[in-house]
């Protein structure tokens, strides 16, 4: 439907409606079209007037559509009007309407009203990321950084994950401000990137660099560089953190994961205590392994092949190094089927130890247990991020160690090469670096790995580019 270019009278709208193939949804389709074409607000208003005359009122979903158009165009007084109509007519608004109202008002000089609405939302639900971030940006734009950080801290406390865009805005709006408390908060964001293994993109990295260089009375200088293979920064000659855990760190982490994650409350959600006990006995009798493989996960790597062939290639390749392999499988793999060939499965079992769990079991606990019990050298193969397990760990230091251990021990990218028959040594390539690829600081230096392009999703790909910032 092509929306009209000017407001229409009731009879004109009626005529259009009669000619429309499904008159009962005419107004809805028309408003959607107006949003798409960004029609003038007065045209949409004339449609709502026609609706009100015909039906005696305007339905909730139609008001929300009209609100969408007003927010799209920054029509603040209209946003106000719609809000007041909605408040009078409906006891409670749903998440979508609140999100639109907060977004629309936060971009105006009435931005404090968005904060009031945020408080309203909190009474009935956890506000969405967009609601929080609209208010944070509004506060930052008006140089109310303390308020912006209070909202940010509250957001993290409620497990609402911030976008890189809002994290960048903190550095943009804080430029040139002299405030020790603010500085501490911004350092906190850099530590948040470290703890969650987040790599800023190029524009975010530039904002960080400019902020450091703008600190009044500070003498920070940033340089873009690549770290030497030895882990030394060519700019400041500082040695980056080692990617390997010390013996003490490893045994602490191993203890915590086995206690809090593996024997924690959720281990047996998808496996039975008897099965896990049998698995422990199986592992203890065969230790140590060099590589533990999540068989089902690996078998799906190339979708248009038999699953057992994908696994066969990986096992074959990894066994070449005379590595001791443990493959975690499922009982259905032993049934001769279109995906699981009995002969291929037999051949694989000559090259690796296999443990077949029940088909409903969760492999992650098995995978972590076998890898950690095998010792520091043991790697594991899966494309899973193991995010849930990181969340079970009680403190940020242990979570950091878990991620660091994961970076050094999880074989991922090589699998794609294996299955494309690109045989370069997998063991010598893991871990890729002797230094740890996360944000790090000594107090008077910061080293920040960054990517050229924006990536919202968590990534296995470790960046090669770094920002070195030092205080002269």
């Amino acid at each position: 439907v092509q929306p009209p270019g000017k407001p229409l009278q009731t009879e004109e709208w009626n005529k259009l409606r009669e000619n429309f193939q499904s008159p009962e949804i005419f107004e809805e389709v028309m408003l959607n079209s107006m949003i798409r074409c960004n029609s003038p607000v007065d045209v949409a208003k004339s449609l709502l007037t026609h609706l009100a005359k015909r039906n005696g009122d305007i339905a909730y979903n139609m008001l929300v559509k009209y609100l969408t158009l007003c927010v799209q165009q920054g029509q603040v007084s209209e946003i106000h009007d719609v809000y007041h109509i909605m408040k009078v007519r409906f006891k409670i608004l749903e998440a979508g309407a609140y999100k639109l109202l907060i977004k629309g008002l936060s971009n105006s000089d009435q931005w404090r009203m968005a904060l009031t609405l945020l408080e309203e939302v909190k009474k009935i639900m956890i506000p969405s990321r967009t609601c929080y971030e609209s208010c944070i940006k509004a506060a930052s734009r008006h140089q109310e950084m303390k308020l912006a950080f209070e909202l940010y801290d509250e957001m993290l406390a409620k497990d609402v994950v911030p976008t890189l865009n809002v994290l960048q805005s903190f550095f943009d709006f804080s430029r040139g401000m002299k405030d020790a408390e603010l500085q501490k908060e911004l350092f906190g964001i850099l530590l948040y990137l470290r703890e969650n293994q987040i790599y800023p993109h190029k524009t975010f990295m530039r904002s960080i660099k400019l902020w450091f260089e703008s600190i009044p009375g500070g003498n920070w200088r940033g340089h873009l560089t690549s770290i030497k293979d030895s882990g030394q920064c060519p700019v400041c000659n500082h040695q980056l953190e080692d990617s390997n855990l010390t013996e003490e760190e490893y045994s602490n982490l191993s203890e915590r994961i086995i206690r809090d994650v593996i024997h924690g409350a959720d281990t047996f959600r998808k496996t039975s205590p008897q099965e896990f006990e049998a698995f422990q006995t199986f592992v203890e009798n065969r230790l140590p392994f060099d590589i533990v493989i999540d068989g089902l996960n690996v078998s799906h790597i190339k979708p248009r092949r038999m699953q057992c062939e994908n696994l066969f290639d990986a096992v074959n390749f990894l066994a070449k190094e005379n590595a001791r392999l443990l493959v975690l499988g499922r009982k259905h793999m032993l049934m001769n089927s279109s995906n699981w060939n009995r002969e291929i499965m037999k051949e694989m079992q000559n090259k690796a130890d296999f443990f077949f769990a029940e088909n409903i079991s969760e492999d992650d606990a098995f995978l972590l247990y076998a890898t950690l019990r095998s010792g520091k050298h043991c790697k594991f193969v899966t494309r899973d991020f193991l995010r849930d397990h990181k969340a079970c760990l009680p403190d940020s230091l242990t979570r950091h160690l878990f991620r660091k251990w994961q970076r050094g021990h999880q074989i991922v990218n090589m699998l794609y090469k294996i299955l494309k028959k690109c045989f370069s040594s997998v063991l010598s390539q893991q871990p890729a670096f002797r230094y740890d690829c996360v944000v790090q600081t000594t107090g008077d230096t910061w080293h920040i790995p960054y990517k050229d392009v924006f990536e919202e999703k968590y990534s296995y790909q470790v960046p090669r580019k770094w920002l070195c910032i030092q205080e002269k």
Side-chain angles (χ1 to χ4, degrees), residues 89 99 288 364:
R89 287 208 32 223
K99 189 165 141 184
D364 292 353

Side-chain angles (χ1 to χ4, degrees), residues 181-194:
E181 201 48 47
L182 176 66
Q183 202 167 309
K184 213 167 104 187
E185 291 279 16
L186 288 157
F187 287 162
I189 290 181
L190 295 176
L191 296 174
Y192 171 83
L193 298 181
R194 170 189 172 87

Side-chain angles (χ1 to χ4, degrees), residues 49 86 127 141 167 202 206 216 247 260 320-321 348 359 449:
T49 308
M86 291 177 108
R141 263 197 302 277
L167 296 181
K202 202 186 264 173
R206 285 206 188 101
E247 291 297 337
D260 296 329
K320 276 192 170 164
E321 306 272 343
M348 268 194 272
N359 295 326

Side-chain angles (χ1 to χ4, degrees), residues 435-470:
Y435 55 90
D436 198 12
C437 238
V438 281
V439 171
Q440 37 195 280
T441 181
T442 60
D444 58 357
T445 69
W446 282 86
H447 288 89
I448 299 167
Y450 69 93
K451 297 205 161 186
D452 278 332
V453 291
F454 169 75
E455 275 174 5
E456 183 67 70
K457 285 200 167 70
Y458 181 92
S459 170
Y460 287 118
Q461 292 290 341
V462 173
R464 304 303 304 254
K465 296 178 175 183
W466 289 72
L467 167 65
C468 162
I469 302 170
Q470 53 180 329

Side-chain angles (χ1 to χ4, degrees), residues 83-115:
Y83 172 56
H84 290 304
I85 292 167
M86 291 177 108
K87 276 304 279 180
V88 171
R89 287 208 32 223
F90 309 102
K91 270 201 179 73
I92 201 161
L93 308 182
E94 45 69 64
Y98 275 121
K99 189 165 141 184
L100 283 167
L101 288 163
I102 289 172
K103 190 178 171 188
L105 292 167
S106 64
N107 284 324
S108 74
D109 54 359
Q110 310 260 337
W111 65 279
R112 285 190 185 278
M113 197 172 161
L115 297 173

Side-chain angles (χ1 to χ4, degrees), residues 179-434:
D179 181 340
E181 201 48 47
L182 176 66
Q183 202 167 309
K184 213 167 104 187
E185 291 279 16
L186 288 157
F187 287 162
I189 290 181
L190 295 176
L191 296 174
Y192 171 83
L193 298 181
R194 170 189 172 87
E195 190 178 319
N196 292 283
Q197 196 185 331
I198 296 167
Y199 303 120
H201 47 85
K202 202 186 264 173
T203 51
F204 185 4
M205 175 276 296
R206 285 206 188 101
S207 294
I208 296 169
K209 180 177 182 289
L210 289 170
W211 171 72
F212 267 103
E213 292 174 345
S214 79
I215 298 172
N219 195 15
W220 293 93
R221 284 288 162 269
H223 297 275
L224 307 188
T225 186
S226 296
I227 303 297
K228 294 176 184 171
D229 287 343
S230 64
Q232 192 185 43
C233 170
V235 178
C236 64
N237 297 322
H238 178 76
Q239 188 68 31
L240 263 57
E241 292 171 33
D242 197 314
S243 63
N244 288 317
L245 270 59
T246 63
E247 291 297 337
E248 191 185 349
E249 284 175 334
Y250 180 79
S251 72
N252 282 346
L253 177 69
S254 177
E255 226 169 85
R256 291 303 273 277
I257 291 178
I258 287 171
R259 191 186 72 205
D260 296 329
V261 178
I262 295 172
H263 293 314
D266 69 338
T267 309
F268 302 120
R269 240 184 344 201
K270 291 184 183 162
T271 181
S272 67
Q274 293 80 1
E275 182 179 48
F276 197 73
E277 228 168 83
F279 174 69
Q280 284 176 292
T281 309
F282 175 90
V283 167
E284 298 301 325
N285 290 337
R286 291 167 176 76
L287 285 174
F289 297 103
D290 298 314
I291 303 174
V292 181
I293 301 166
D294 181 343
L296 203 57
N297 191 288
V298 170
S299 73
H300 285 101
I301 270 184
K302 262 194 170 176
R304 281 186 288 278
R305 294 180 77 206
M306 263 171 81
Q307 287 170 23
C308 66
E309 285 180 354
N310 285 335
L311 186 57
F312 183 71
D313 280 356
V315 166
N316 247 354
F317 175 65
L318 293 167
K320 276 192 170 164
E321 306 272 343
N322 292 322
R324 292 207 56 228
L325 310 182
L326 168 62
V327 180
L328 301 173
R330 294 285 170 67
K331 287 191 171 162
H332 75 258
M333 293 176 175
L334 294 168
M335 316 282 286
N336 207 14
S337 67
S338 58
N339 261 316
W340 298 99
N341 177 292
R342 192 168 284 152
E343 294 308 308
I344 295 177
M345 288 303 291
K346 255 189 203 153
E347 201 177 325
M348 268 194 272
Q349 286 171 74
N350 294 330
K351 300 184 179 196
D353 281 302
F354 271 75
F355 182 87
F356 295 99
E358 292 297 337
N359 295 326
I360 52 158
S361 296
E362 190 63 83
D363 316 74
D364 292 353
F366 293 81
L367 186 79
L368 289 172
Y369 182 83
T371 309
L372 289 163
R373 287 293 295 124
S374 292
K376 258 177 87 172
H377 74 289
C378 184
K379 308 273 191 276
F380 64 96
V381 184
T382 182
R383 291 180 298 163
D384 282 349
F385 288 121
L386 307 180
R387 273 214 181 97
D388 294 351
H389 304 301
K390 181 188 157 228
C392 293
L393 295 167
D395 60 278
S396 61
L397 177 66
T398 315
R399 285 196 293 270
H400 171 69
L401 289 178
F402 178 71
R403 274 281 178 247
K404 186 173 177 175
W405 173 75
Q406 188 181 0
R407 282 193 292 278
H409 291 77
Q410 184 167 4
I411 300 173
V412 182
N413 299 328
M414 291 306 297
L415 279 173
Y416 295 94
K417 295 181 182 176
I418 291 165
L419 296 176
K420 284 177 188 160
K421 303 287 190 287
C422 171
F423 291 105
S424 53
S425 169
V426 71
L427 293 177
S428 64
Q429 291 225 11
Q430 282 291 18
F433 305 110
R434 283 170 55 188

